[in-house]
């Protein structure tokens, strides 16, 4: 729809009739100060378009001029589809409505009254409220495209109104299926009373009631089951205790019998033990009497034995004393003999030692002689080599003093001379003479040389040669070349230097020089070989002279140790081997002699010690013998005293005491044999049996008490009919559970199905929102100059956010007021563009950019200007200067007569 | 009472009695929720029927071979009621403790005051032993004192029976499982298959299993089953046995006597052909209606069905099923829109078609198996793009994850979607 003109009568501050228009395609600007009636005019136009003419609400009354009862009249001329229409409505007083269509020449009345209202409603796809005036959400597309003053950021609720659905369907080109909506709504009606948004039972719902009832019944059921489990446990306990009681009763009877038997046995044992004690006392008396006789008899025997022993000991000691005296005498004789032997041995040893020293002196002389001879040999060898070396050195001294370096210099000089000679020969004058007959010639005043016929004489000179040929005369050949003379000079100098070199080295040719060098090298090698060959003979001596001096010293020492014959020696010169054998023999004899002397000294010491001991033993034996004699006398006196106690003799006394003891012992044994087996343990056993019986009876009493108590508890529980109670509760529980599950399954299933529908709807809406989002994003990018952001819309066509992705987008509510009003303007623009593909649309902007900075406002103007070919834009503003040049300026014009 | 004898009997029997077992009074019926009380009350009614039959048949006594009560801890009131019913017949009744109500501790039902002093004519067989029942007959009993045992309780009958003088009819009574290979548990009181002849008994009445079993040991052992069925598979239950023994050594004559109060009926319907199923379920339920008050009814619906077919079956079922006081409907069907439904959905409500494919996808994620009746492919249908992560986020809103998503949730989602589809859109 687009607007062509608005005409109002008795509306707001407008008395009479005023017309706004005609509107143009593109941008129309109604610029006027505040309270000049801009918004009032547009609001009146909306009332004329969308409200029933019979409406009397406050919204309509507010159109009336203040303080008047005049009937507001509105006439709107608009285009919709392919037609051009006009609706004229008079409100409140004599309300009426006329709908006209322009047929190209004139207005044709097509409907009146309610029919006129409905025709407009149909054309604009608007709705009506149940009662009262319409609101923007009833205004169809204009309600969306009409941004009212003061509410730039508002957005109509697209979900709850018919308009929202229409708009969405128009925008998204989605056929919003009312059947689906009905199903969706009914599904919501299924689950919403039962479940919260989180999926939990909702308070007050039948599901929650069933849950509560089920919980209550379950609790009761669990209590009954707990009691049953307790009862079962008690029963098991009862059966166990009952078995224990039976076992204990059996055990108690057995224990009582065993205790009684043991008690009787213990009593008899006690009686027998008392008798045994008495008999054992008598036996003890007999044993003591017998022991006394035995002791006296034994004592007497020991005294007699002791007397004999003392006598024997005294005699033995006296014999030992005599033997010691004899042995002492023998020992002293042996001592004297040993002393004589020791002196003789020492004398012989001295002789042996003297002979050994003589032999060792002989051996020393022989060793020195051998050493002198060895040095002499070495000295001679060294001297021979020394002589040879000196000969070689003399021969070397006779060779030219030519070193390898001098040789290399001579070789260079020779080469230089050879080169210069070749050069001089090439540059100088060569004359070849070959006479036909024999003659002679003189060259440069030299001696005359005979020339054979046909023989050739070649003469070479640097620059000039003078020949005197016999029979022919003098021939002078001369050259003007200077180089030949220079070459000859350098040759002469070189030859002179070479001659000097020959003279210095003492050789006449290069071959001699090389031979001399070779000979010198060989001589030096031989000299070095001589030096090396002498080193073994020199040994530690540095020179041959030192070696020789050592040899002479050794010879003198050897002569000095000339071997002299020993006294008593046969005087025969002995060989070294013989002397060494003799030395070993004497050394062995000396060692044997020394050993013998040591042994003799040891024997002497032993004899001295033995002498001391024998003397001591002699004294001791005398003392011991005296003591034994004294003890023997005392023992004899004591034995006489003991024998006096037994007039019949000790044997008779022992027989009487032994018989009395045997009788007493027999009585004890007979009594002990009468004791029961293990009698010594009977008392303990009896006590234990009594204690065991007591314990069994106590346990039996305790178990009986426990069993009776459990029996009572079981009887009490048994009377409660727990199974019956559990049965009733189980069935009730199941009934409630089935009911609960039924409600829950239905509610949950409804919720899931509802969710599936929502999901599909959202997906469909998202799919078709994409072009709108792109358009909106592009428009806003033009305004903000931030190209990479996207605007995201939700399923309600609300701006969800702005950003690069939906997940990271900034929420619409977080944006600034300015950004929001710009964004909404862009959204309206995008929606209008989308809708304008079907038919032209009008976008009304009633002072919507109050929070927008001038730069962005300018950009918005650019944006609007670029869309003016496709949209009709109506801008209401109190700042017309901001929109100057942007579009067509509008103003009210007063109309003289009202059209009827 | 001995005056009555069946006319067709050539030799008047020396003794006749009613043998029953496994009454399970006080039994629990959790799966029936609030109907449990009614089911328990039915068992007492059946007990009254047996007492009436005992009077009518003029039997010498009644014996109950174990498990009169479901548990040792049933309420005293129930015990008193049962004894009162039995005593009201004035026919001597001999009750043997079974494995459900063994005579064990002080709390067991038999040791409580209510059973210590039973009404006249009611006798508790507390111990292994012999009880005179008149007419030169004795009852040789082997009661149970525990819930499980690998011992054969009939072994005790051998010694007890041996002490009975010759010339007496020996009627054994005990509780346990006939030792039939593959049918009994080792710790479930196995009873030798020749237990009666082994103990020299003319008849051995046993209890434990809930279906009638006869012909054991040459016809001398009988398991009568439970007199009141307690499950839909008790197809040989609901009877007590009239036993007649003519003489010492004679084979007993056994006649089943129906006493059950309630019929347990299971109606299973595969909704492959909804129209036929709707007619079938109506006919089946109509046939059961005369005994609706005495019928425990379970209807089990299975198979894949389109919403309209499902609705048709429900419409046929619902007005009738309300007349069955105890009923269950186990709906295991899977709503699967037909080809025409899909075309309609795709063209009219594509979003719903996508949501249905999402539910199928949820089923795959939850079970790992694609549901049968896959969404037919075609233009305009978007395959589900629900990822495991998306499913997790979706289910987080109901405090669930795919592992806790059960078939009933998926079925409910499909049902709800179609249920809430406006009438004109279906």
């Amino acid at each position: 729809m687009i607007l062509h003109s608005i005409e109002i009568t008795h509306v707001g501050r407008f008395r009479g009739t005023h017309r706004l228009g005609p509107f143009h395609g593109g941008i129309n600007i109604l610029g006027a100060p505040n309270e000049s009636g801009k918004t009032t005019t547009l609001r009146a136009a909306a009332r004329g378009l969308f409200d029933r003419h019979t409406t009397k609400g406050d919204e309509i009354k507010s159109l009336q001029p203040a303080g008047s009862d005049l009937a507001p009249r509105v006439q709107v001329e608009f285009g919709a589809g392919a037609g051009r229409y006009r609706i004229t409505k008079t409100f409140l007083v004599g309300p009426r409505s006329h709908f006209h269509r322009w047929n190209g020449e004139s207005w044709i009345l097509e409907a009146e009254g309610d029919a006129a209202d409905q025709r407009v409603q149909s054309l604009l796809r608007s709705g009506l409220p149940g009662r009262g005036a319409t609101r923007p959400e009833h205004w169809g597309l204009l309600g969306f495209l009409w941004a009212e003053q003061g509410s730039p950021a508002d957005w109509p609720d697209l979900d709850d109104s018919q308009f929202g659905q229409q708009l969405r369907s128009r925008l998204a080109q989605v056929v919003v299926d009312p059947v689906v909506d009905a199903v969706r709504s009914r599904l919501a009606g299924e689950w919403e009373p039962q479940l919260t948004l989180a999926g939990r039972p909702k308070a007050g719902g039948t599901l929650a009631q069933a849950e509560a009832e089920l919980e209550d019944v379950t609790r009761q059921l669990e209590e009954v089951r707990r009691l049953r489990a307790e009862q079962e446990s008690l029963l098991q306990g009862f059966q166990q205790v009952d078995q224990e009681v039976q076992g204990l009763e059996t055990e108690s009877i057995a224990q009582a019998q065993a205790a009684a038997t043991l008690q009787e046995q213990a009593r008899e044992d006690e009686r027998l033990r008392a008798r045994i004690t008495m008999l054992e006392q008598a036996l003890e008396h007999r044993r003591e009497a017998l022991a006394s006789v035995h002791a006296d008899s034994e004592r007497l025997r020991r005294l007699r034995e002791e007397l004999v022993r003392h006598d024997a000991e005294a005699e033995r000691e006296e014999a030992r004393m005599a033997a010691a005296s004899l042995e002492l005498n023998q020992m002293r004789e042996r001592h004297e003999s040993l002393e004589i032997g020791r002196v003789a041995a020492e004398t012989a040893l001295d002789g042996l030692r003297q002979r050994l020293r003589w032999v060792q002196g002989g051996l020393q002389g022989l060793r020195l002689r051998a050493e002198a001879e060895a040095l002499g040999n070495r000295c001679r060898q060294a001297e021979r080599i020394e002589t040879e070396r000196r000969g070689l050195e003399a021969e070397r001294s006779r060779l030219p003093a030519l070193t390898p370096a001098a040789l290399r210099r001579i070789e260079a000089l020779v080469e230089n001379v050879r080169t210069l000679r070749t050069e001089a020969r090439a540059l100088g004058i060569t004359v070849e003479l070959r006479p036909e007959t024999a003659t002679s010639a003189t060259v440069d005043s030299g001696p005359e040389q005979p020339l054979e016929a046909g023989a050739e004489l070649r003469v070479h000179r640097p620059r000039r040669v003078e020949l005197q040929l016999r029979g022919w005369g003098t021939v002078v050949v001369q050259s003007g070349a200077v180089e030949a003379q220079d070459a000859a000079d350098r040759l002469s100098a070189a030859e002179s230097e070479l001659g000097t070199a020959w003279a210095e080295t003492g050789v006449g040719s290069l071959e001699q020089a090389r031979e001399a060098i070779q000979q010198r090298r060989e001589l030096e090698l031989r000299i070095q070989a001589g030096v090396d060959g002498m080193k073994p003979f020199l040994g530690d001596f540095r020179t041959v002279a030192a070696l020789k001096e050592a040899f002479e010293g050794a010879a003198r020492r050897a002569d000095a140790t000339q071997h002299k014959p020993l006294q008593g020696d046969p005087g025969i010169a002995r060989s070294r081997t013989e002397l060494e054998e003799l030395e070993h023999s004497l050394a062995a004899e000396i060692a044997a002699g020394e050993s013998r002397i040591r042994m003799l000294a040891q024997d002497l010491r032993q004899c001295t010690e033995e002498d001391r001991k024998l003397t001591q033993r002699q004294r001791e034996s005398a003392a011991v013998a005296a003591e034994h004699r004294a003890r023997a006398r005392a023992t004899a006196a004591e034995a006489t005293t003991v024998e006096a106690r037994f007039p019949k003799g000790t044997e008779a006394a022992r027989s009487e005491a032994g018989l009395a003891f045997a009788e007493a012992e027999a009585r004890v044994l007979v009594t002990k044999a009468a004791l029961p087996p293990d009698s010594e343990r009977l008392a303990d056993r009896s006590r234990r049996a009594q204690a065991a019986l007591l314990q069994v009876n106590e346990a039996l009493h305790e178990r009986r008490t426990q069993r009776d108590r459990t029996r009572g508890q079981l009887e009490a529980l048994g009377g409660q009919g727990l199974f019956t109670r559990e049965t009733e509760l189980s069935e009730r529980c199941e009934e409630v559970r089935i009911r609960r599950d039924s409600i829950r399954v239905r509610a949950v299933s409804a919720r899931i199905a509802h969710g599936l529908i929502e999901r599909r709807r959202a997906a469909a809406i998202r799919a078709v929102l994409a072009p709108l989002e792109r358009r909106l994003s592009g428009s806003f990018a033009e305004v903000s100059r931030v190209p990479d952001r996207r605007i995201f819309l939700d399923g309600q066509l609300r701006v969800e956010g702005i950003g690069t992705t939906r997940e990271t987008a900034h929420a619409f509510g977080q944006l600034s007021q300015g950004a929001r009003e710009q964004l909404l303007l862009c959204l309206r623009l995008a929606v209008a563009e989308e809708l304008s593909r079907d038919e032209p649309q009008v976008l009304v902007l009633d002072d919507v950019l109050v929070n927008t900075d001038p730069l962005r406002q300018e950009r918005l103007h650019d944006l609007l200007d670029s869309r003016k070919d496709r949209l009709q834009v109506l801008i209401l503003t109190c700042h017309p200067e901001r929109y100057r040049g942007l579009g067509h300026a509008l103003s009210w014009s007063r109309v003289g007569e009202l059209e009827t | 009472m001995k005056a009555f004898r069946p006319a067709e009997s050539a030799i008047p029997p020396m003794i006749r009695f009613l043998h029953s077992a496994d009454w399970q009074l006080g039994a629990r019926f959790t799966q029936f929720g609030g109907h449990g009380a009614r089911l328990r009350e039915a068992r007492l009614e059946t007990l009254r029927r047996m007492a009436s039959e005992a009077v009518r048949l003029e039997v010498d006594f009644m014996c109950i071979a174990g498990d009169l009560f479901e548990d040792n801890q049933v309420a005293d009131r129930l015990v008193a009621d049962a004894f009162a019913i039995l005593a009201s017949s004035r026919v001597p009744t001999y009750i043997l403790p079974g494995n459900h109500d063994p005579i064990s501790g002080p709390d067991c039902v038999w040791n409580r005051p209510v059973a210590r002093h039973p009404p006249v004519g009611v006798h508790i067989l507390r111990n292994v032993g012999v009880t005179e029942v008149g007419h030169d007959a004795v009852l040789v009993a082997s009661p149970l004192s525990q819930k499980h045992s690998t011992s054969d309780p009939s072994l005790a009958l051998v010694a007890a029976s041996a002490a009975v003088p010759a010339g007496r009819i020996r009627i054994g009574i005990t509780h346990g499982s006939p030792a039939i290979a593959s049918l009994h548990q080792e710790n479930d009181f196995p009873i030798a298959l020749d237990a009666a002849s082994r103990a020299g008994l003319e008849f051995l009445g046993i209890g434990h299993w809930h279906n009638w079993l006869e012909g054991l040991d040459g016809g001398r052992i009988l398991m009568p089953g439970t007199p009141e069925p307690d499950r839909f598979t008790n197809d040989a239950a609901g009877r007590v046995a009239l036993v007649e023994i003519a003489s010492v050594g004679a084979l007993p004559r056994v006649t089943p006597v129906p006493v059950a109060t309630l019929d347990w009926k299971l109606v299973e319907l595969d909704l492959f052909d909804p129209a036929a199923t709707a007619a079938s379920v109506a006919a089946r339920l109509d046939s059961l209606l005369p005994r609706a008050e005495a019928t425990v009814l379970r209807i089990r619906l299975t198979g894949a069905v389109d919403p309209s077919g499902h609705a048709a079956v429900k419409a046929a079922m619902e007005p009738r099923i309300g007349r069955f006081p105890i009923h269950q409907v186990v709906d295991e069907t899977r709503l699967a829109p037909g080809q025409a439904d899909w075309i309609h959905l795709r063209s009219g409500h594509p979003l719903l078609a996508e949501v249905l494919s999402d539910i199928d996808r949820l089923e795959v994620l939850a079970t790992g198996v694609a549901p049968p009746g896959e969404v037919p492919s075609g233009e305009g249908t978007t395959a589900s793009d629900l990822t495991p992560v998306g499913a997790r986020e979706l289910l987080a809103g109901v405090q669930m994850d795919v592992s806790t998503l059960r078939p009933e949730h998926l079925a409910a989602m499909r049902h709800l979607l179609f249920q809430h589809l406006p009438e004109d859109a279906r």
Side-chain angles (χ1 to χ4, degrees), chain A residues 177 179 186 190 198-199 228 231 235 238 714 718 721-724 726-727 731 734 746 749 751-752 759-760, chain B residues 26 28-30 33 40 70-71 73-75 105 107 112 348-349 354 358 385 397-399 409 412 419-420:
Chain A
D177 187 350
V179 171
R186 291 173 184 179
E190 287 274 356
R228 286 208 73 188
Q231 186 180 7
L235 179 59
F238 173 80
L714 282 169
L722 290 176
F723 179 80
T724 301
E726 185 185 358
T727 294
E731 289 171 352
E734 184 63 12
R746 192 171 177 88
S749 302
R751 173 79 186 272
I752 297 171
R759 179 178 161 279
R760 283 290 183 177
Chain B
R28 188 173 296 168
F29 295 94
T30 309
R40 281 189 288 280
E70 172 71 3
D71 190 271
Q73 304 305 322
V74 294
D107 58 333
R112 302 214 297 262
H349 317 292
E354 290 167 352
D358 287 341
D385 58 354
V398 286
Q399 310 273 313
H409 290 114
Q419 178 188 336
H420 290 309

Side-chain angles (χ1 to χ4, degrees), chain B residues 218-286:
Chain B
R220 292 190 185 278
I221 299 178
L222 173 68
M223 175 90 75
T226 180
E228 178 64 27
D230 54 5
R231 62 196 67 172
F232 294 103
T233 53
N234 288 150
D235 49 358
R239 294 170 281 190
V240 298
L242 172 63
V243 183
E244 298 169 299
I245 303 172
S247 61
V248 174
L251 272 176
R253 189 168 69 179
V254 176
T255 309
V257 179
V259 291
T261 301
L262 298 175
D263 298 331
W264 288 58
K265 298 291 182 187
L266 173 63
V267 178
E268 293 188 292
L269 301 168
D270 188 330
L271 273 63
F272 177 72
D273 182 353
T277 306
S280 170
V281 72
R284 294 278 298 277
L285 294 181
D286 286 343

Side-chain angles (χ1 to χ4, degrees), chain A residues 167-235:
Chain A
L167 179 61
R168 190 156 49 213
S169 68
R170 286 289 305 278
L171 285 173
Q173 296 179 330
V174 173
V175 177
V176 179
D177 187 350
V179 171
V180 173
D181 270 357
V183 173
R184 176 172 151 272
S185 172
R186 291 173 184 179
L187 287 173
E190 287 274 356
W191 71 264
E192 282 178 350
Q194 307 297 350
L195 296 173
T196 65
L197 286 176
R200 294 191 177 83
K202 184 181 276 187
T206 52
L207 177 60
Q209 290 168 0
E211 291 275 15
E213 188 178 353
L214 182 61
E215 188 179 345
D216 181 52
V217 177
T218 303
R219 188 174 40 73
Q220 294 179 43
L221 184 59
E222 283 172 356
E223 174 61 18
V224 171
R225 283 178 177 157
R226 188 191 61 75
L227 285 172
R228 286 208 73 188
E230 185 181 327
Q231 186 180 7
E232 189 66 28
S233 174
L234 278 171
L235 179 59

